[in-house]
Amino acid sequence: MRKNLRLLLILVALTLGAGVMWYMNDGQSSMSKNALTDFAIADTSQVDKIFIADVHERTITLERDADSRYWDLNGKYKARKDAVDLLLKTFTRIGVKSTVPEAARDNVIRLLSSGGKKVEIYENGQLSKTYIVGNATQDHTGTYMLLETPEDGRSSEPFITHMEGFTGFLSTRFFTDENDWRYTGVFDYPELDISEVTVQHHESPELSFTIKYNGGNDLKLHSELLQRDVPLFDTLAVKNYLLLYKKVHVETYMSHLTESQEDSLLNTNPAFTLSVLENSGNRKKIDIYYKQPIAGTAQVPDANGNLPKWDESRMYGVVKGSEVTLIQTFVFNALLRPIGAFAPSPNSGAGYQAIAP
């Protein structure tokens, strides 16, 4: 009895081993010799250009700028650092998850040819790899891709790719809307290399001010209405305010306005203007406009039961004189302070009248 059991276990083991060997050999024989699987880029520091195109003829060209933290976008703008970094991380860790089932292979190739995005990766000025990026797999844990290289040409078959340590699909990382790629920073001074900040309250000029900064504690607070420096103010409050300009971003360059609506907005006066004079002498500014609440959205009435006149979460910001953006009040309200916000503390021996116009 024990001998028969031992023979049975040996037969089961041999059968399983034969099945595994058959599967492996069959999988290898079904993969053509010029099937390319080496999607990853070993050293992304050598990547200096990325080109992405979709079937709607939208294209994105990202080029590394050796003199900046940011890549160039289509030769016109800075690109979002987080989005570029995500691409580079993807190039490093991408790999083949599995082959495409033979029954679905022709259909996947057809879909890649008709609707895939083309991604060209350049290293040291030379084309290194080209991805044809398709849709996600049905379980959303892989992405159909085809690889092409200058040396070997286009792979004869696609693969299901994934990224080690990440569960999901990769196709959404290769977007082609220029506005989505644009760097959203308006004021970006991590070293606080600025000499002047001006805040204009156009509807209440008495609240407007300019801060003049020469480094350290060398600060001056200037009343725009009176055109003179304020003799006493809270130095710490002013310094903390300047720190906000280390990183100020708009939400998006998609204003969701029609062209005629944008023109109409630009022909009205802004509610506020923020302006920064850099140490280099360059000046940057953003004009800020109130935004109507979105129709149908819930609004919270004030203590008197009145609904807010303006959208309390977003405003419009105009940069470069004509580009309309959406900005968040959460970010910009902290910058739109009145001059009275820097009044000296009551315990300092100086009264509010020293700063009020």
Side-chain angles (χ1 to χ4, degrees):
M1 183 72 179
R2 185 171 303 206
K3 184 177 180 181
N4 290 338
L5 180 60
R6 188 182 299 115
L7 287 173
L8 180 61
L9 291 173
I10 292 172
L11 285 173
V12 169
L14 289 173
T15 302
L16 288 173
V20 170
M21 291 298 295
W22 175 86
Y23 176 81
M24 292 176 65
N25 290 334
D26 182 72
Q28 290 175 352
S29 63
S30 66
M31 189 185 299
S32 59
K33 291 183 179 179
N34 65 330
L36 306 180
T37 60
D38 187 19
F39 285 86
I41 302 288
D43 182 7
T44 55
S45 68
Q46 304 305 308
V47 175
D48 51 17
K49 181 179 174 182
I50 304 166
F51 173 79
I52 309 173
D54 64 18
V55 294
H56 304 292
E57 300 184 351
R58 293 180 298 187
T59 63
I60 294 297
T61 300
L62 303 165
E63 294 181 278
R64 190 186 292 271
D65 184 348
D67 299 322
S68 173
R69 292 179 294 148
Y70 302 97
W71 287 48
D72 290 332
L73 168 63
N74 287 347
K76 299 185 291 183
Y77 309 112
K78 292 179 182 178
R80 282 172 43 203
K81 189 176 185 302
D82 64 309
V84 175
D85 287 346
L86 187 61
L87 275 190
L88 296 176
K89 180 180 178 181
T90 304
F91 295 159
T92 301
R93 295 168 59 181
I94 191 172
V96 170
K97 183 181 182 185
S98 68
T99 59
V100 176
E102 192 169 352
R105 194 173 298 167
D106 290 343
N107 187 49
V108 169
I109 291 174
R110 186 163 52 250
L111 290 173
L112 285 170
S113 299
S114 62
K117 293 176 182 175
K118 183 178 184 179
V119 181
E120 294 178 350
I121 306 166
Y122 293 77
E123 296 182 73
N124 299 316
Q126 301 297 316
L127 179 62
S128 172
K129 298 178 190 289
T130 300
Y131 302 163
I132 306 300
V133 183
N135 296 326
T137 54
Q138 206 165 27
D139 62 2
H140 286 201
T141 62
T143 306
Y144 295 112
M145 286 194 192
L146 195 79
L147 179 62
E148 181 179 329
T149 66
E151 300 83 11
D152 302 309
R154 178 168 291 195
S155 175
S156 58
E157 58 184 280
F159 291 90
I160 297 173
T161 63
H162 72 149
M163 196 174 82
E164 294 295 337
F166 171 77
T167 301
F169 51 95
L170 307 176
S171 53
T172 54
R173 303 179 180 205
F174 303 98
F175 48 93
T176 50
D177 190 311
E178 185 179 77
N179 281 327
D180 288 339
W181 271 105
R182 286 186 65 179
Y183 168 67
T184 56
V186 180
F187 304 122
D188 180 12
Y189 306 107
E191 303 301 323
L192 219 59
D193 48 345
I194 57 180
S195 58
E196 196 173 277
V197 171
T198 298
V199 179
Q200 293 176 278
H201 294 253
H202 295 292
E203 296 174 353
S204 303
E206 71 278 5
L207 306 180
S208 303
F209 62 90
T210 293
I211 297 171
K212 299 175 182 179
Y213 178 58
N214 290 312
N217 292 318
D218 191 349
L219 296 163
K220 291 182 180 179
L221 183 64
H222 183 84
S223 167
E224 289 297 300
L225 181 68
L226 300 180
Q227 285 298 296
R228 62 175 173 82
D229 292 342
V230 173
L232 294 172
F233 58 91
D234 188 334
T235 304
L236 182 59
V238 172
K239 288 182 71 174
N240 286 336
Y241 176 81
L242 287 178
L243 292 176
L244 298 174
Y245 287 83
K246 284 190 170 187
K247 185 178 180 181
V248 180
H249 287 246
V250 303
E251 180 179 9
T252 175
Y253 282 92
M254 297 291 291
S255 69
H256 304 295
L257 295 175
T258 65
E259 188 175 341
S260 62
Q261 287 174 327
E262 285 195 355
D263 289 340
S264 178
L265 180 75
L266 294 172
N267 285 323
T268 61
N269 295 321
F272 311 95
T273 298
L274 296 175
S275 175
V276 172
L277 180 63
E278 301 172 351
N279 289 343
S280 64
N282 183 49
R283 185 177 289 276
K284 287 185 178 179
K285 75 167 188 171
I286 179 170
D287 291 319
I288 297 172
Y289 298 76
Y290 290 118
K291 178 180 177 295
Q292 294 283 352
I294 299 174
T297 57
Q299 299 177 63
V300 180
D302 61 21
N304 298 319
N306 300 315
L307 292 175
K309 183 179 179 181
W310 306 111
D311 190 326
E312 294 186 310
S313 61
R314 287 174 177 81
M315 296 183 284
Y316 295 116
V318 175
V319 296
K320 298 181 180 178
S322 61
E323 290 192 81
V324 182
T325 70
L326 271 181
I327 62 176
Q328 295 182 346
T329 55
F330 173 78
V331 174
F332 280 84
N333 276 351
L335 303 174
L336 300 175
R337 299 179 188 179
I339 190 171
F342 307 114
S345 165
N347 297 325
S348 68
Y352 177 78
Q353 68 274 9
I355 198 169

